[in-house]
Amino acid sequence: MSGHSIVSSLRHDEQIFAERLERARQAMRAQGVDVALLSLGLDMPYLTGYNAMPLERLTMLVLPVNGDAVMVIPRLEAPRVQPMPNVFSLLPWNETDDPVVITAELVRNAAPSSRVIAVGDQMWARFLVDLMPLLPNTQYRRSVEVIGSLRMRKDSAEIEALRSAGSAVDKIAGDLQAGRIALVGRTEAQVSADLSARIIAQGHDVVNFAIVAAGENAASPHHHPGSRVIQPNEIVLCDFGGTMNGYCSDITRCVYTGEPSSEVAEAYAVLFEAEAAAVRAATVGTPCEEVDAVARRVITAAGFGEYFIHRTGHGIGLDAHEDPYIVSGNSLALEAGHAFSIEPGIYMPGKWGMRLEDIVVATIDGPDSMNHADHHLWSV
Ligand code: ZN
Ligand code: ZN
Ligand code: ZN
């Protein structure tokens, strides 16, 4: 599968995956990795279009740096795969086979004596624990160090998929701000279910989360929506998203059931400015940690620094959270095609919390926002 002449003779989708596999092999070669073993997680779908079922049976893409890619798959799940024989072959295993032994054999054929293997973060531990004694003289690495950098750089089709998912949740945020989603008198869980139904109605395949946190509950950034009934005159934080054609949306907007107190309104003005400043700072070449610092400086200067208790953002793509992380200590410079959230927050324990989140793609023409829902604190 080397050389452009072979690649360009493939079907369009086969060509995309063949090119991704080739780039993965180049990254493996550059980093001295002999074989990548990819199971659950989104590296395998990125490279093959197939997302394994998160069950007990092993599905594993064995990708040697030199040699053909093989997907080891339970025979009963093989029909789920869109075959691309020019890109990877299928090796179905039967219920009485040991797929770990099969995988180890493929690895030994690809790299007979000693080897460096990159494994995906989400492979079940049981498979790695069983595999290790079968492969002496092996060093293990995390595949995110090899394939993560490829997945980070979104191509134009991926960016358009993120944009469609973003516009879909923008509409829901607009309904929320316009008061078209009833809040007062309903529980957080009911509103969460309502948001989830709208995420699907807007064209997503899956709901990933729909956080609804009212009043003091909004001070817990990942609050689990529960039986608390939403009251008049409180903040309601909604953070929701799903997966549409393989790519994720993720947006946070807050609304106020009444006229916000001056305390809340002033804090929100700070949050608004912090978020906008960080989005403006998300330019190609800027280190991730600097984007975080831009948001943090605005919030800290207003005296809320100790109440901004998480990083500014996370990468997004096939996965709702992936590289690059917009966090202090990450000196990685943004590249064109990097996609990530900008989501500063201010959380007053026992009182209220607020967060404002957009998905942004770094481009040579500047930050390109996937979300355009209004950024103000609407009274509903
Ligand atoms: Zn979060
Ligand atoms: Zn979010
Ligand atoms: Zn997010």
Side-chain angles (χ1 to χ4, degrees):
M1 212 60 52
S2 58
H4 245 267
S5 54
I6 296 172
V7 162
S8 57
S9 66
L10 301 177
R11 278 200 333 261
H12 175 68
D13 48 346
E14 284 192 319
Q15 189 177 328
I16 289 170
F17 294 116
E19 286 172 356
R20 287 179 180 175
L21 276 171
E22 197 42 49
R23 282 200 298 275
R25 287 192 178 93
Q26 283 164 15
M28 289 163 66
R29 206 164 286 130
Q31 297 194 36
V33 171
D34 300 296
V35 182
L37 295 181
L38 306 171
S39 182
L40 296 181
L42 295 156
D43 288 337
M44 182 162 59
Y46 179 73
L47 296 174
T48 66
Y50 180 67
N51 201 349
M53 296 180 80
L55 301 176
E56 74 288 1
R57 292 185 179 93
L58 177 85
T59 302
M60 181 87 81
L61 181 71
V62 180
L63 173 62
V65 69
N66 300 311
D68 294 333
V70 177
M71 189 187 291
V72 178
I73 186 163
R75 186 171 295 282
L76 80 164
E77 290 169 15
R80 291 165 41 89
V81 182
Q82 149 110 51
M84 284 187 263
N86 295 310
V87 183
F88 62 91
S89 58
L90 281 182
L91 182 49
W93 57 273
N94 297 312
E95 295 284 33
T96 52
D97 292 337
D98 184 338
V100 174
V101 168
I102 294 170
T103 301
E105 210 168 281
L106 289 169
V107 171
R108 281 192 300 261
N109 290 343
S113 47
S114 67
R115 58 201 71 90
V116 177
I117 295 182
V119 295
D121 281 3
Q122 283 110 335
M123 182 194 302
W124 296 134
R126 55 180 284 207
F127 296 125
L128 190 55
V129 166
D130 287 352
L131 190 64
M132 290 173 84
L134 301 181
L135 295 172
N137 305 317
T138 301
Q139 282 180 50
Y140 292 91
R141 301 264 311 273
R142 292 173 60 205
S143 73
V144 66
E145 296 164 12
V146 185
I147 292 161
S149 60
L150 309 180
R151 276 181 49 194
M152 259 195 280
R153 272 177 244 121
K154 272 71 181 176
D155 64 27
S156 54
E158 293 181 287
I159 293 168
E160 289 322 303
L162 286 169
R163 199 184 308 282
S164 304
S167 341
V169 289
D170 275 351
K171 293 197 191 89
I172 303 169
D175 285 343
L176 180 71
Q177 293 168 330
R180 287 191 287 268
I181 299 178
L183 298 175
V184 174
R186 295 169 94 194
T187 65
E188 294 169 337
Q190 285 170 328
V191 176
S192 174
D194 191 340
L195 292 175
S196 298
R198 289 166 188 259
I199 289 169
I200 298 299
Q202 288 295 342
H204 286 71
D205 307 300
V206 187
V207 177
N208 292 334
F209 48 84
I211 297 171
V212 176
E216 74 288 345
N217 283 347
S220 166
H222 279 174
H223 174 67
H224 185 75
S227 58
R228 187 188 183 290
V229 175
I230 298 170
Q231 305 295 323
N233 298 308
E234 60 183 15
I235 199 159
V236 182
L237 182 159
C238 299
D239 181 354
F240 50 95
T243 305
M244 187 164 144
N245 297 322
Y247 285 80
C248 294
S249 60
D250 184 2
I251 188 171
T252 308
R253 291 294 185 270
C254 295
V255 294
Y256 206 89
T257 54
E259 274 310 307
S261 65
S262 58
E263 182 193 43
V264 166
E266 281 162 26
Y268 195 87
V270 172
L271 179 68
F272 179 99
E273 176 49 30
E275 201 262 355
V279 170
R280 285 194 301 271
T283 55
V284 169
T286 304
C288 291
E289 61 186 357
E290 176 56 20
V291 178
D292 178 81
V294 165
R296 210 163 292 280
R297 277 197 290 267
V298 173
I299 290 175
T300 302
F304 293 112
E306 66 180 293
Y307 304 108
F308 177 14
I309 56 174
H310 54 70
R311 66 190 177 213
T312 292
H314 54 83
I316 189 166
L318 290 169
D319 214 340
H321 286 196
E322 59 182 45
D323 282 327
Y325 292 96
I326 310 299
V327 63
S328 172
N330 185 4
S331 59
L332 179 78
L334 290 176
E335 293 176 35
H338 283 184
F340 44 87
S341 71
I342 298 287
E343 52 177 308
I346 302 173
Y347 308 94
M348 281 293 164
K351 295 177 79 180
W352 47 259
M354 52 180 66
R355 178 163 68 253
L356 182 55
E357 174 178 29
D358 290 320
I359 301 305
V360 174
V361 177
T363 80
I364 47 167
D365 300 320
D368 184 7
S369 186
M370 304 292 107
N371 295 108
H372 299 283
D374 191 83
H375 292 82
H376 292 90
L377 180 63
W378 283 61
S379 289
V380 294

mmCIF file of all heavy atoms in Angstrom, residues 21 260 304:
data_model
loop_
_atom_site.group_PDB
_atom_site.id
_atom_site.type_symbol
_atom_site.label_atom_id
_atom_site.label_comp_id
_atom_site.label_asym_id
_atom_site.label_seq_id
_atom_site.Cartn_x
_atom_site.Cartn_y
_atom_site.Cartn_z
ATOM 1 N N LEU A 21 -3.697 5.232 6.691
ATOM 2 C CA LEU A 21 -2.835 4.128 7.121
ATOM 3 C C LEU A 21 -1.385 4.409 6.733
ATOM 4 O O LEU A 21 -0.468 4.119 7.499
ATOM 5 C CB LEU A 21 -3.291 2.809 6.497
ATOM 6 C CG LEU A 21 -4.425 2.093 7.231
ATOM 7 C CD1 LEU A 21 -4.931 0.926 6.411
ATOM 8 C CD2 LEU A 21 -3.959 1.599 8.598
ATOM 9 N N PRO A 260 -30.885 38.307 36.111
ATOM 10 C CA PRO A 260 -29.722 37.910 36.909
ATOM 11 C C PRO A 260 -29.388 38.952 37.976
ATOM 12 O O PRO A 260 -29.532 40.157 37.742
ATOM 13 C CB PRO A 260 -28.588 37.804 35.885
ATOM 14 C CG PRO A 260 -29.148 38.171 34.567
ATOM 15 C CD PRO A 260 -30.595 38.425 34.687
ATOM 16 N N PHE A 304 -11.657 36.154 40.062
ATOM 17 C CA PHE A 304 -12.330 34.851 40.099
ATOM 18 C C PHE A 304 -11.383 33.673 39.828
ATOM 19 O O PHE A 304 -11.840 32.551 39.616
ATOM 20 C CB PHE A 304 -13.464 34.817 39.058
ATOM 21 C CG PHE A 304 -14.608 35.740 39.352
ATOM 22 C CD1 PHE A 304 -14.849 36.851 38.551
ATOM 23 C CD2 PHE A 304 -15.460 35.497 40.427
ATOM 24 C CE1 PHE A 304 -15.918 37.702 38.815
ATOM 25 C CE2 PHE A 304 -16.526 36.345 40.690
ATOM 26 C CZ PHE A 304 -16.756 37.457 39.893
#
